[in-house]
Structures are given as structure tokens and as C-alpha cells.
Amino acid sequence: MKFEHFKQGHLRVFVSRQELAVHDVRPETLAVGKGQILLRTLLEEAESNYGFQAVGTLDFFVTFFPNDGMLVDVRRDGVLPEETFEEFDQVEIRMTVDIVHHVLYELNQFEDVIQASHGLSRHINKTETGATLYFYENRYYLYFQEQMQPTVEQTVTTILSEYGVPSPKSPLVMAEYGKIIIGKQAVSVLINTFTP
């Protein structure tokens, strides 16, 4: 688990696909059994390492990224009472689960982005979004926020793998901290702008 953000009453944690597989957690099992054990472990780690107190009402906003893992955004409703008695305090958990399908690839150089775009030229009309291009921490990211047909996704990821690597970062990190270079139809814009 990677704690991406923490401040008083607000916690954001990314759980990788490998960790979900180890705990056998899927969107449909998050609210029961092993899913509850994973969330309890997350809260215990947040309390011991960051001082986050799981009391009162907690809102869990869970976003599943089938290719990458899940992002858990926890917000505590209201302020902490002056005294808390753990054995008597009740925790109310409200959970919202969203499943987001996407492809997110990291490319080192802008030239790699241009080459990848030309490689995708014959297939880009089979995608809905045509990609968004981000710049974050001296790297470029092509992001397709959509659920592609399996054959289209395989073709797109195969081409992108020639020029970059799948990114373990969540798209929410891109949206919050990344700089948008081209917001819509990035691949087509790049092809039209940089034609050899």
C-alpha cells in the first residue's frame, strides 16, 4: 500500500493490483470478508504511521482501476471529539465504489510520444477518447480513459510498449498534479502536428 496523501481527516492510499490479488479482493468483495480485512489493515497502518484516527463517520471513496489496482480516498466527517474511548466509540463507514477502465503509459521523451502516436495512427479511430497527454515529474503520459474492446486494447498497449511502460500511477494523480499538454484526441493532434 502506498500512502499518496495525508492530512488531518483525509487519507488517500493506492493499493496495487498485485496486493489486491494477494488479498483476493475484487470490487464485488470489498464490502465483505477479505475486503473488510484489507480496509481494516489500511486503517490500522494509517493510525500507527500517520496518526489517523478511525472514529466517527468515515467516507470511503474507492476507485478500481482494473489494470492497476485501487485508490482509496478516506475522509472523516466532522471534527474529532476531545475525548475518544475506543471501546465505546462506534465507526460508521459509508462507501462509494467506482470502476474506471483506462490505459496509462509513461514515456521518457517527447520524441517517444510522437513515434508512439504515429504507431497508433491506424488504430486510434477505434478508441473513444484518443488519449490525453500529461507531463509529470519529467515524464510524458498518454492516458486513455475508457474501456476498450479487448483486441483494441491489446493492439494499443502492444504499440505503446514499444515506446514506454505501463504506469503504476493512478490517473487521479495525473489529474491533480500533472500538467495537461493536450486534453483531447492527443494522438490525432500529435500526428497532424508532427507529420514526417
Side-chain angles (χ1 to χ4, degrees), residues 55-75:
V55 296
T57 301
L58 299 178
D59 287 307
F60 279 75
F61 300 96
V62 181
T63 307
F64 270 90
F65 302 100
N67 296 331
D68 302 316
M70 76 174 181
L71 188 67
V72 182
D73 197 306
V74 183
R75 295 175 189 264

Side-chain angles (χ1 to χ4, degrees), residues 110-130:
F110 190 67
E111 183 62 30
D112 296 328
V113 178
I114 295 170
Q115 294 299 321
S117 297
H118 283 287
L120 292 168
S121 62
R122 294 183 315 141
H123 311 282
I124 202 62
N125 62 345
K126 297 174 187 170
T127 71
E128 295 172 19
T129 63

Side-chain angles (χ1 to χ4, degrees), residues 25-31 64 97 99:
V25 174
R26 300 176 302 282
E28 61 273 17
T29 64
L30 188 60
F64 270 90
V97 178
I99 301 174

Side-chain angles (χ1 to χ4, degrees), residues 155-174:
T155 301
V156 167
T157 56
T158 299
I159 292 168
L160 288 171
S161 293
E162 295 177 29
Y163 303 96
V165 295
S167 174
K169 294 180 171 58
S170 75
L172 294 181
V173 170
M174 290 294 111

Side-chain angles (χ1 to χ4, degrees), residues 6-7 9 13 15 34 38 41 44 58 68-69 71 78 86-87 90 115 129 133 140 143 155 159 162 172 184 195:
F6 175 79
K7 64 181 181 182
V13 185
V15 184
K34 294 178 181 178
L38 178 63
T41 302
E44 288 170 358
L58 299 178
D68 302 316
L71 188 67
E86 293 184 11
E87 56 185 306
Q90 291 188 354
Q115 294 299 321
T129 63
L133 178 62
Y140 295 91
Y143 171 46
T155 301
I159 292 168
E162 295 177 29
L172 294 181
K184 296 180 180 177
T195 302

